[in-house]
Amino acid sequence: MEQHIATIRRAIRDIPNFPKPGIVFKDITPLLADGKLFARTIDMLAERYRSQRVDTVLGIESRGFIIGAALAYKLGAGFSLVRKPGKLPFDTHSASYELEYGKDSLEIHIDAISNSARVVIADDLIATGGTAAATAELVSRLGGTVVECAFLIELSFLKGREKLKPHGVFSILQYDSE
């Protein structure tokens, strides 16, 4: 397991000053390009949830679509999207979250999950936790239960998991600093 985690860590590329100065972007595209490594990574996530009843995996725009869809397939669960406003074609619910300067929001179709569905929220990375917390709010609004929030990468120094309490957080890789 430790060897797989080390291999995954080496596949993550740091891009300094992207998308703006002072940010170190964690680029997962080299991981996605390596089919065997990507499969092992999804297998690691799926193994965590295999013994739990998961009805739906929610992928958060946009890299969460990749992680979430693959995870849903492995679990035999449904997959639904959480997107930026105006991107979904049907009736939606919306939840807002704080940004460094201002607010943003996410939307989900009103029928994306069934009442009492057990849901895993999936994304590539958790930083401050705002988007995942807004997604958890949407799950609750639709009558679902968050099983856990699953990420490839956690920037633990930003304390995003604190914003997600009482929901559990699982991440394969943790970074204690940029």
Side-chain angles (χ1 to χ4, degrees):
M1 175 76 96
E2 292 297 320
Q3 181 184 13
H4 291 311
I5 292 173
T7 303
I8 293 166
R9 188 178 298 276
R10 285 191 300 274
I12 305 298
R13 178 171 45 206
D14 283 351
I15 308 291
N17 300 312
F18 183 84
K20 62 183 184 176
I23 302 291
V24 178
F25 183 80
K26 300 295 185 192
D27 181 11
I28 66 167
T29 58
L31 168 69
L32 299 175
D34 183 331
K36 288 181 181 173
L37 183 58
F38 180 48
R40 280 197 313 250
T41 303
I42 296 302
D43 287 346
M44 288 175 69
L45 287 173
E47 194 56 40
R48 181 164 179 90
Y49 305 107
R50 196 170 309 286
S51 65
Q52 301 179 49
R53 180 178 62 83
V54 175
D55 300 305
T56 305
V57 176
L58 285 183
I60 302 173
E61 188 166 330
S62 67
R63 288 172 302 275
F65 298 167
I66 299 164
I67 305 307
L71 178 59
Y73 173 78
K74 283 301 265 192
L75 295 174
F79 176 71
S80 290
L81 309 171
V82 176
R83 299 209 63 190
K84 298 286 185 182
K87 301 288 186 177
L88 293 171
F90 188 60
D91 297 335
T92 62
H93 285 296
S94 179
S96 295
Y97 60 96
E98 296 291 325
L99 294 169
E100 189 175 351
Y101 300 103
K103 283 188 169 197
D104 206 347
S105 61
L106 294 170
E107 294 181 342
I108 190 170
H109 279 148
I110 60 171
D111 61 355
I113 63 172
S114 61
N115 190 30
S116 73
R118 293 179 46 80
V119 177
V120 170
I121 296 171
D123 206 352
D124 68 319
L125 182 140
I126 179 172
T128 63
T131 58
T135 301
E137 178 185 328
L138 291 169
V139 171
S140 293
R141 196 174 305 163
L142 290 173
T145 300
V146 175
V147 172
E148 197 166 55
C149 301
F151 305 95
L152 294 183
I153 299 166
E154 178 178 2
L155 304 180
S156 56
F157 60 96
L158 294 175
K159 303 188 184 319
R161 69 173 50 227
E162 296 297 316
K163 197 173 279 182
L164 289 170
K165 287 182 177 177
H167 307 296
V169 172
F170 174 73
S171 58
I172 293 176
L173 301 175
Q174 300 79 38
Y175 291 87
D176 296 329
S177 65
E178 285 203 56

